[in-house]
Amino acid sequence: MKFFATVALLATAVAAAPSQRLFNLKTSGASNSSHNDLYISVGHGLISDPLNSEAVFSGPSANRAAAFSFVNGTILLDTESKAPWALDLINVAGVRKERAQISVKPTHGSKGFSVSRQGVEGPSETWDGWLWCPADMAAGQFLPNLHFLSKSVQDPALPAGCDKIQLHAVPQSSA
């Protein structure tokens, strides 16, 4: 009888566990209207860093958008292989803008994200807003990509060619 009670309790706990809701990330609030309503995808952004991919802009259609979930302050990329990739805010030496990168290792994903009606915000100790930035061929970036403003970088206030944006979590209808 004790065995059946344990199995029933376990089944109830599994059924009550929260499911990870999948969402896409979509831009808004840009001063340049062509930078609004763009979805985030994942692409290999830097030729000098073959192990990581970057958060890039796929366009106004959700067809090529990456799917994400939110778990304990980390934004995880949903992949077919279920590889544990996470959104990671990294510093780029010698560059005045920081970039949001998709890291292969879950331990390197940034913690402290929050998702609300106002949008997705990063860890408060470093994060000061999202940026749409153009491709930088000299740095090996081939697509416009997602960057963030770091509180530790004061000059320039806005990197050349970049546009301050907001990111919103748009629930996937199949999630």
Side-chain angles (χ1 to χ4, degrees):
M1 190 65 139
K2 194 174 191 179
F3 171 76
F4 290 115
T6 303
V7 169
L9 183 62
L10 181 60
T12 303
V14 169
S19 63
Q20 293 181 10
R21 295 191 153 284
L22 294 179
F23 58 88
N24 302 118
L25 293 172
K26 188 176 181 181
T27 65
S28 71
S31 60
N32 181 334
S33 63
S34 69
H35 302 154
N36 289 327
D37 299 319
L38 300 176
Y39 287 91
I40 298 295
S41 186
V42 175
H44 186 68
L46 289 176
I47 55 175
S48 62
D49 191 358
L51 296 178
N52 287 311
S53 294
E54 290 188 317
V56 297
F57 297 98
S58 65
S61 171
N63 294 345
R64 295 184 55 220
F68 297 94
S69 62
F70 182 72
V71 178
N72 297 327
T74 301
I75 296 177
L76 300 174
L77 175 67
D78 185 61
T79 64
E80 288 181 21
S81 67
K82 299 301 175 195
W85 292 23
L87 189 65
D88 191 15
L89 303 178
I90 64 170
N91 296 323
V92 182
V95 178
R96 289 290 185 181
K97 56 193 173 196
E98 317 298 11
R99 83 174 175 263
Q101 187 176 50
I102 303 299
S103 174
V104 177
K105 298 176 183 171
T107 57
H108 289 93
S110 294
K111 308 231 182 296
F113 284 101
S114 62
V115 179
S116 69
R117 289 183 185 192
Q118 288 74 36
V120 177
E121 295 183 5
S124 61
E125 63 277 359
T126 58
W127 183 85
D128 202 21
W130 295 111
L131 296 172
W132 175 99
C133 290
D136 183 352
M137 297 300 202
Q141 298 171 338
F142 302 110
L143 298 168
N145 50 66
L146 180 64
H147 291 254
F148 74 101
L149 286 172
S150 173
K151 288 181 179 177
S152 65
V153 178
Q154 300 299 314
D155 188 38
L158 190 64
C162 295
D163 196 3
K164 196 161 184 171
I165 59 170
Q166 294 175 337
L167 281 182
H168 294 278
V170 179
Q172 287 191 327
S173 58
S174 62

mmCIF file of all heavy atoms in Angstrom, residues 29-73:
data_model
loop_
_atom_site.group_PDB
_atom_site.id
_atom_site.type_symbol
_atom_site.label_atom_id
_atom_site.label_comp_id
_atom_site.label_asym_id
_atom_site.label_seq_id
_atom_site.Cartn_x
_atom_site.Cartn_y
_atom_site.Cartn_z
ATOM 1 N N GLY A 29 10.328 49.650 -29.848
ATOM 2 C CA GLY A 29 10.852 50.853 -29.224
ATOM 3 C C GLY A 29 12.067 51.489 -29.882
ATOM 4 O O GLY A 29 12.647 52.413 -29.327
ATOM 5 N N ALA A 30 12.473 51.017 -31.060
ATOM 6 C CA ALA A 30 13.652 51.572 -31.734
ATOM 7 C C ALA A 30 13.315 52.922 -32.354
ATOM 8 O O ALA A 30 12.190 53.152 -32.794
ATOM 9 C CB ALA A 30 14.137 50.612 -32.820
ATOM 10 N N SER A 31 14.302 53.806 -32.414
ATOM 11 C CA SER A 31 14.079 55.091 -33.069
ATOM 12 C C SER A 31 13.996 54.920 -34.581
ATOM 13 O O SER A 31 13.293 55.669 -35.255
ATOM 14 C CB SER A 31 15.170 56.094 -32.690
ATOM 15 O OG SER A 31 16.435 55.608 -33.072
ATOM 16 N N ASN A 32 14.681 53.928 -35.132
ATOM 17 C CA ASN A 32 14.593 53.595 -36.550
ATOM 18 C C ASN A 32 13.516 52.506 -36.684
ATOM 19 O O ASN A 32 13.712 51.379 -36.214
ATOM 20 C CB ASN A 32 15.938 53.089 -37.066
ATOM 21 C CG ASN A 32 15.923 52.744 -38.538
ATOM 22 O OD1 ASN A 32 14.891 52.408 -39.110
ATOM 23 N ND2 ASN A 32 17.085 52.796 -39.156
ATOM 24 N N SER A 33 12.404 52.822 -37.307
ATOM 25 C CA SER A 33 11.281 51.887 -37.365
ATOM 26 C C SER A 33 11.620 50.555 -38.041
ATOM 27 O O SER A 33 10.967 49.549 -37.781
ATOM 28 C CB SER A 33 10.082 52.532 -38.058
ATOM 29 O OG SER A 33 10.401 52.854 -39.396
ATOM 30 N N SER A 34 12.657 50.521 -38.867
ATOM 31 C CA SER A 34 13.031 49.252 -39.511
ATOM 32 C C SER A 34 13.686 48.284 -38.520
ATOM 33 O O SER A 34 13.884 47.120 -38.842
ATOM 34 C CB SER A 34 13.952 49.499 -40.707
ATOM 35 O OG SER A 34 15.213 49.956 -40.282
ATOM 36 N N HIS A 35 13.988 48.750 -37.308
ATOM 37 C CA HIS A 35 14.568 47.890 -36.284
ATOM 38 C C HIS A 35 13.510 47.365 -35.320
ATOM 39 O O HIS A 35 13.834 46.642 -34.381
ATOM 40 C CB HIS A 35 15.654 48.630 -35.505
ATOM 41 C CG HIS A 35 16.754 49.128 -36.375
ATOM 42 N ND1 HIS A 35 17.532 50.208 -36.042
ATOM 43 C CD2 HIS A 35 17.212 48.705 -37.587
ATOM 44 C CE1 HIS A 35 18.417 50.423 -37.002
ATOM 45 N NE2 HIS A 35 18.234 49.530 -37.942
ATOM 46 N N ASN A 36 12.245 47.723 -35.563
ATOM 47 C CA ASN A 36 11.123 47.228 -34.761
ATOM 48 C C ASN A 36 10.524 45.984 -35.402
ATOM 49 O O ASN A 36 10.645 45.773 -36.614
ATOM 50 C CB ASN A 36 10.036 48.301 -34.627
ATOM 51 C CG ASN A 36 10.470 49.438 -33.738
ATOM 52 O OD1 ASN A 36 11.220 49.262 -32.782
ATOM 53 N ND2 ASN A 36 10.005 50.636 -34.065
ATOM 54 N N ASP A 37 9.881 45.177 -34.591
ATOM 55 C CA ASP A 37 9.168 43.972 -35.046
ATOM 56 C C ASP A 37 10.097 42.950 -35.695
ATOM 57 O O ASP A 37 9.687 42.220 -36.593
ATOM 58 C CB ASP A 37 8.021 44.334 -35.993
ATOM 59 C CG ASP A 37 6.992 45.220 -35.310
ATOM 60 O OD1 ASP A 37 6.680 44.964 -34.127
ATOM 61 O OD2 ASP A 37 6.520 46.184 -35.943
ATOM 62 N N LEU A 38 11.344 42.891 -35.237
ATOM 63 C CA LEU A 38 12.296 41.890 -35.711
ATOM 64 C C LEU A 38 12.409 40.785 -34.670
ATOM 65 O O LEU A 38 12.407 41.053 -33.467
ATOM 66 C CB LEU A 38 13.678 42.507 -35.940
ATOM 67 C CG LEU A 38 13.774 43.637 -36.950
ATOM 68 C CD1 LEU A 38 15.189 44.197 -36.981
ATOM 69 C CD2 LEU A 38 13.353 43.162 -38.332
ATOM 70 N N TYR A 39 12.505 39.561 -35.134
ATOM 71 C CA TYR A 39 12.671 38.430 -34.234
ATOM 72 C C TYR A 39 14.142 38.073 -34.090
ATOM 73 O O TYR A 39 14.941 38.271 -35.003
ATOM 74 C CB TYR A 39 11.906 37.215 -34.763
ATOM 75 C CG TYR A 39 10.416 37.341 -34.602
ATOM 76 C CD1 TYR A 39 9.633 37.895 -35.599
ATOM 77 C CD2 TYR A 39 9.798 36.910 -33.438
ATOM 78 C CE1 TYR A 39 8.260 38.009 -35.448
ATOM 79 C CE2 TYR A 39 8.424 37.022 -33.279
ATOM 80 C CZ TYR A 39 7.667 37.571 -34.283
ATOM 81 O OH TYR A 39 6.311 37.690 -34.127
ATOM 82 N N ILE A 40 14.465 37.526 -32.932
ATOM 83 C CA ILE A 40 15.827 37.065 -32.659
ATOM 84 C C ILE A 40 15.955 35.620 -33.129
ATOM 85 O O ILE A 40 15.094 34.788 -32.871
ATOM 86 C CB ILE A 40 16.146 37.146 -31.153
ATOM 87 C CG1 ILE A 40 16.066 38.580 -30.664
ATOM 88 C CG2 ILE A 40 17.513 36.537 -30.848
ATOM 89 C CD1 ILE A 40 17.099 39.509 -31.245
ATOM 90 N N SER A 41 17.053 35.361 -33.807
ATOM 91 C CA SER A 41 17.401 34.013 -34.223
ATOM 92 C C SER A 41 18.817 33.748 -33.718
ATOM 93 O O SER A 41 19.399 34.570 -33.023
ATOM 94 C CB SER A 41 17.326 33.896 -35.748
ATOM 95 O OG SER A 41 17.529 32.556 -36.133
ATOM 96 N N VAL A 42 19.355 32.630 -34.085
ATOM 97 C CA VAL A 42 20.710 32.286 -33.676
ATOM 98 C C VAL A 42 21.527 32.049 -34.929
ATOM 99 O O VAL A 42 21.101 31.360 -35.847
ATOM 100 C CB VAL A 42 20.714 31.024 -32.797
ATOM 101 C CG1 VAL A 42 22.127 30.589 -32.460
ATOM 102 C CG2 VAL A 42 19.921 31.283 -31.530
ATOM 103 N N GLY A 43 22.701 32.669 -34.962
ATOM 104 C CA GLY A 43 23.584 32.501 -36.108
ATOM 105 C C GLY A 43 25.018 32.525 -35.660
ATOM 106 O O GLY A 43 25.344 33.032 -34.588
ATOM 107 N N HIS A 44 25.871 31.979 -36.491
ATOM 108 C CA HIS A 44 27.289 32.020 -36.171
ATOM 109 C C HIS A 44 27.785 33.399 -36.544
ATOM 110 O O HIS A 44 27.890 33.731 -37.718
ATOM 111 C CB HIS A 44 28.057 30.936 -36.919
ATOM 112 C CG HIS A 44 29.475 30.873 -36.495
ATOM 113 N ND1 HIS A 44 29.825 30.454 -35.226
ATOM 114 C CD2 HIS A 44 30.608 31.214 -37.115
ATOM 115 C CE1 HIS A 44 31.135 30.528 -35.113
ATOM 116 N NE2 HIS A 44 31.635 30.986 -36.243
ATOM 117 N N GLY A 45 28.071 34.207 -35.536
ATOM 118 C CA GLY A 45 28.400 35.596 -35.785
ATOM 119 C C GLY A 45 29.866 35.901 -35.929
ATOM 120 O O GLY A 45 30.245 36.763 -36.703
ATOM 121 N N LEU A 46 30.736 35.225 -35.209
ATOM 122 C CA LEU A 46 32.152 35.567 -35.233
ATOM 123 C C LEU A 46 32.983 34.412 -35.771
ATOM 124 O O LEU A 46 32.913 33.306 -35.257
ATOM 125 C CB LEU A 46 32.660 35.895 -33.823
ATOM 126 C CG LEU A 46 32.180 37.198 -33.212
ATOM 127 C CD1 LEU A 46 32.692 37.323 -31.793
ATOM 128 C CD2 LEU A 46 32.627 38.376 -34.036
ATOM 129 N N ILE A 47 33.789 34.688 -36.788
ATOM 130 C CA ILE A 47 34.644 33.639 -37.333
ATOM 131 C C ILE A 47 35.759 33.278 -36.360
ATOM 132 O O ILE A 47 36.301 32.184 -36.411
ATOM 133 C CB ILE A 47 35.242 34.041 -38.707
ATOM 134 C CG1 ILE A 47 35.980 35.381 -38.608
ATOM 135 C CG2 ILE A 47 34.181 34.083 -39.771
ATOM 136 C CD1 ILE A 47 36.693 35.779 -39.875
ATOM 137 N N SER A 48 36.088 34.169 -35.421
ATOM 138 C CA SER A 48 37.145 33.892 -34.456
ATOM 139 C C SER A 48 36.666 33.066 -33.268
ATOM 140 O O SER A 48 37.451 32.704 -32.407
ATOM 141 C CB SER A 48 37.746 35.206 -33.959
ATOM 142 O OG SER A 48 36.743 35.958 -33.307
ATOM 143 N N ASP A 49 35.383 32.768 -33.184
ATOM 144 C CA ASP A 49 34.835 32.028 -32.053
ATOM 145 C C ASP A 49 33.934 30.911 -32.568
ATOM 146 O O ASP A 49 32.712 31.036 -32.580
ATOM 147 C CB ASP A 49 34.052 32.983 -31.150
ATOM 148 C CG ASP A 49 33.682 32.357 -29.822
ATOM 149 O OD1 ASP A 49 33.993 31.166 -29.600
ATOM 150 O OD2 ASP A 49 33.075 33.059 -28.999
ATOM 151 N N PRO A 50 34.509 29.784 -33.001
ATOM 152 C CA PRO A 50 33.723 28.735 -33.648
ATOM 153 C C PRO A 50 32.785 27.967 -32.727
ATOM 154 O O PRO A 50 31.891 27.275 -33.210
ATOM 155 C CB PRO A 50 34.796 27.799 -34.212
ATOM 156 C CG PRO A 50 35.964 27.990 -33.312
ATOM 157 C CD PRO A 50 35.925 29.440 -32.911
ATOM 158 N N LEU A 51 32.946 28.065 -31.415
ATOM 159 C CA LEU A 51 32.112 27.277 -30.514
ATOM 160 C C LEU A 51 30.821 27.960 -30.097
ATOM 161 O O LEU A 51 29.942 27.334 -29.546
ATOM 162 C CB LEU A 51 32.911 26.895 -29.265
ATOM 163 C CG LEU A 51 34.098 25.984 -29.514
ATOM 164 C CD1 LEU A 51 34.831 25.712 -28.213
ATOM 165 C CD2 LEU A 51 33.663 24.693 -30.167
ATOM 166 N N ASN A 52 30.720 29.248 -30.322
ATOM 167 C CA ASN A 52 29.536 29.972 -29.880
ATOM 168 C C ASN A 52 28.799 30.595 -31.050
ATOM 169 O O ASN A 52 29.379 30.898 -32.085
ATOM 170 C CB ASN A 52 29.920 31.079 -28.890
ATOM 171 C CG ASN A 52 30.314 30.518 -27.550
ATOM 172 O OD1 ASN A 52 29.606 29.697 -26.996
ATOM 173 N ND2 ASN A 52 31.443 30.951 -27.040
ATOM 174 N N SER A 53 27.537 30.779 -30.843
ATOM 175 C CA SER A 53 26.703 31.467 -31.814
ATOM 176 C C SER A 53 26.224 32.758 -31.185
ATOM 177 O O SER A 53 26.292 32.929 -29.970
ATOM 178 C CB SER A 53 25.509 30.593 -32.200
ATOM 179 O OG SER A 53 25.953 29.447 -32.884
ATOM 180 N N GLU A 54 25.727 33.650 -32.020
ATOM 181 C CA GLU A 54 25.248 34.937 -31.530
ATOM 182 C C GLU A 54 23.754 35.085 -31.764
ATOM 183 O O GLU A 54 23.174 34.444 -32.631
ATOM 184 C CB GLU A 54 25.974 36.076 -32.234
ATOM 185 C CG GLU A 54 27.422 36.195 -31.836
ATOM 186 C CD GLU A 54 28.042 37.441 -32.410
ATOM 187 O OE1 GLU A 54 27.802 37.748 -33.582
ATOM 188 O OE2 GLU A 54 28.771 38.108 -31.662
ATOM 189 N N ALA A 55 23.173 35.981 -30.989
ATOM 190 C CA ALA A 55 21.782 36.356 -31.179
ATOM 191 C C ALA A 55 21.742 37.358 -32.325
ATOM 192 O O ALA A 55 22.315 38.438 -32.225
ATOM 193 C CB ALA A 55 21.227 36.959 -29.899
ATOM 194 N N VAL A 56 21.115 36.978 -33.427
ATOM 195 C CA VAL A 56 21.041 37.821 -34.617
ATOM 196 C C VAL A 56 19.575 38.095 -34.930
ATOM 197 O O VAL A 56 18.680 37.435 -34.427
ATOM 198 C CB VAL A 56 21.760 37.166 -35.829
ATOM 199 C CG1 VAL A 56 23.245 36.987 -35.548
ATOM 200 C CG2 VAL A 56 21.125 35.846 -36.207
ATOM 201 N N PHE A 57 19.346 39.064 -35.798
ATOM 202 C CA PHE A 57 17.978 39.432 -36.161
ATOM 203 C C PHE A 57 17.571 38.687 -37.422
ATOM 204 O O PHE A 57 18.225 38.787 -38.454
ATOM 205 C CB PHE A 57 17.875 40.945 -36.360
ATOM 206 C CG PHE A 57 18.169 41.689 -35.081
ATOM 207 C CD1 PHE A 57 19.422 42.220 -34.841
ATOM 208 C CD2 PHE A 57 17.196 41.813 -34.109
ATOM 209 C CE1 PHE A 57 19.712 42.877 -33.659
ATOM 210 C CE2 PHE A 57 17.470 42.473 -32.917
ATOM 211 C CZ PHE A 57 18.726 43.000 -32.693
ATOM 212 N N SER A 58 16.472 37.909 -37.327
ATOM 213 C CA SER A 58 16.045 37.082 -38.457
ATOM 214 C C SER A 58 15.053 37.781 -39.362
ATOM 215 O O SER A 58 14.792 37.307 -40.449
ATOM 216 C CB SER A 58 15.441 35.768 -37.953
ATOM 217 O OG SER A 58 14.251 36.006 -37.234
ATOM 218 N N GLY A 59 14.473 38.870 -38.932
ATOM 219 C CA GLY A 59 13.512 39.585 -39.755
ATOM 220 C C GLY A 59 12.150 39.641 -39.106
ATOM 221 O O GLY A 59 11.956 39.198 -37.976
ATOM 222 N N PRO A 60 11.157 40.164 -39.839
ATOM 223 C CA PRO A 60 9.829 40.380 -39.261
ATOM 224 C C PRO A 60 8.936 39.141 -39.228
ATOM 225 O O PRO A 60 7.808 39.220 -38.793
ATOM 226 C CB PRO A 60 9.235 41.454 -40.170
ATOM 227 C CG PRO A 60 9.912 41.248 -41.478
ATOM 228 C CD PRO A 60 11.295 40.773 -41.157
ATOM 229 N N SER A 61 9.419 37.996 -39.669
ATOM 230 C CA SER A 61 8.618 36.778 -39.661
ATOM 231 C C SER A 61 9.091 35.852 -38.553
ATOM 232 O O SER A 61 10.300 35.665 -38.360
ATOM 233 C CB SER A 61 8.745 36.066 -41.013
ATOM 234 O OG SER A 61 8.149 34.791 -40.944
ATOM 235 N N ALA A 62 8.162 35.244 -37.853
ATOM 236 C CA ALA A 62 8.505 34.329 -36.767
ATOM 237 C C ALA A 62 8.990 32.976 -37.284
ATOM 238 O O ALA A 62 9.441 32.152 -36.502
ATOM 239 C CB ALA A 62 7.299 34.139 -35.856
ATOM 240 N N ASN A 63 8.930 32.755 -38.602
ATOM 241 C CA ASN A 63 9.314 31.453 -39.165
ATOM 242 C C ASN A 63 10.737 31.043 -38.824
ATOM 243 O O ASN A 63 11.011 29.875 -38.595
ATOM 244 C CB ASN A 63 9.146 31.445 -40.682
ATOM 245 C CG ASN A 63 7.702 31.564 -41.092
ATOM 246 O OD1 ASN A 63 6.791 31.387 -40.296
ATOM 247 N ND2 ASN A 63 7.477 31.895 -42.347
ATOM 248 N N ARG A 64 11.667 31.989 -38.830
ATOM 249 C CA ARG A 64 13.075 31.670 -38.567
ATOM 250 C C ARG A 64 13.511 32.080 -37.165
ATOM 251 O O ARG A 64 14.688 32.023 -36.834
ATOM 252 C CB ARG A 64 13.968 32.346 -39.609
ATOM 253 C CG ARG A 64 13.713 31.798 -41.011
ATOM 254 C CD ARG A 64 14.632 32.357 -42.062
ATOM 255 N NE ARG A 64 16.022 32.178 -41.705
ATOM 256 C CZ ARG A 64 16.970 33.094 -41.908
ATOM 257 N NH1 ARG A 64 16.687 34.243 -42.471
ATOM 258 N NH2 ARG A 64 18.214 32.873 -41.551
ATOM 259 N N ALA A 65 12.562 32.486 -36.342
ATOM 260 C CA ALA A 65 12.883 32.942 -34.994
ATOM 261 C C ALA A 65 13.278 31.773 -34.100
ATOM 262 O O ALA A 65 12.761 30.667 -34.223
ATOM 263 C CB ALA A 65 11.683 33.663 -34.393
ATOM 264 N N ALA A 66 14.202 32.038 -33.216
ATOM 265 C CA ALA A 66 14.609 31.041 -32.231
ATOM 266 C C ALA A 66 13.559 30.979 -31.121
ATOM 267 O O ALA A 66 12.914 31.975 -30.803
ATOM 268 C CB ALA A 66 15.965 31.410 -31.650
ATOM 269 N N ALA A 67 13.400 29.801 -30.563
ATOM 270 C CA ALA A 67 12.483 29.616 -29.439
ATOM 271 C C ALA A 67 13.299 29.580 -28.151
ATOM 272 O O ALA A 67 14.372 28.967 -28.096
ATOM 273 C CB ALA A 67 11.694 28.328 -29.607
ATOM 274 N N PHE A 68 12.783 30.249 -27.138
ATOM 275 C CA PHE A 68 13.467 30.333 -25.859
ATOM 276 C C PHE A 68 12.516 29.930 -24.744
ATOM 277 O O PHE A 68 11.299 29.941 -24.909
ATOM 278 C CB PHE A 68 13.940 31.772 -25.590
ATOM 279 C CG PHE A 68 14.945 32.284 -26.583
ATOM 280 C CD1 PHE A 68 14.533 33.016 -27.691
ATOM 281 C CD2 PHE A 68 16.294 32.038 -26.418
ATOM 282 C CE1 PHE A 68 15.454 33.497 -28.606
ATOM 283 C CE2 PHE A 68 17.226 32.507 -27.335
ATOM 284 C CZ PHE A 68 16.801 33.243 -28.431
ATOM 285 N N SER A 69 13.079 29.625 -23.586
ATOM 286 C CA SER A 69 12.299 29.429 -22.368
ATOM 287 C C SER A 69 13.027 30.150 -21.240
ATOM 288 O O SER A 69 14.205 30.479 -21.355
ATOM 289 C CB SER A 69 12.128 27.939 -22.051
ATOM 290 O OG SER A 69 13.379 27.323 -21.814
ATOM 291 N N PHE A 70 12.326 30.388 -20.180
ATOM 292 C CA PHE A 70 12.858 31.138 -19.051
ATOM 293 C C PHE A 70 12.880 30.216 -17.841
ATOM 294 O O PHE A 70 11.836 29.703 -17.429
ATOM 295 C CB PHE A 70 11.959 32.354 -18.796
ATOM 296 C CG PHE A 70 12.424 33.231 -17.679
ATOM 297 C CD1 PHE A 70 13.548 34.025 -17.825
ATOM 298 C CD2 PHE A 70 11.748 33.275 -16.481
ATOM 299 C CE1 PHE A 70 13.983 34.852 -16.799
ATOM 300 C CE2 PHE A 70 12.163 34.089 -15.453
ATOM 301 C CZ PHE A 70 13.288 34.886 -15.612
ATOM 302 N N VAL A 71 14.070 29.968 -17.290
ATOM 303 C CA VAL A 71 14.198 29.073 -16.149
ATOM 304 C C VAL A 71 15.124 29.706 -15.108
ATOM 305 O O VAL A 71 16.310 29.927 -15.379
ATOM 306 C CB VAL A 71 14.763 27.695 -16.577
ATOM 307 C CG1 VAL A 71 14.930 26.782 -15.372
ATOM 308 C CG2 VAL A 71 13.897 27.045 -17.630
ATOM 309 N N ASN A 72 14.583 30.009 -13.957
ATOM 310 C CA ASN A 72 15.370 30.521 -12.835
ATOM 311 C C ASN A 72 16.294 31.677 -13.215
ATOM 312 O O ASN A 72 17.471 31.678 -12.866
ATOM 313 C CB ASN A 72 16.187 29.396 -12.197
ATOM 314 C CG ASN A 72 15.306 28.319 -11.614
ATOM 315 O OD1 ASN A 72 14.215 28.593 -11.129
ATOM 316 N ND2 ASN A 72 15.760 27.077 -11.679
ATOM 317 N N GLY A 73 15.810 32.639 -13.955
ATOM 318 C CA GLY A 73 16.597 33.819 -14.296
ATOM 319 C C GLY A 73 17.522 33.652 -15.489
ATOM 320 O O GLY A 73 18.283 34.551 -15.816
#
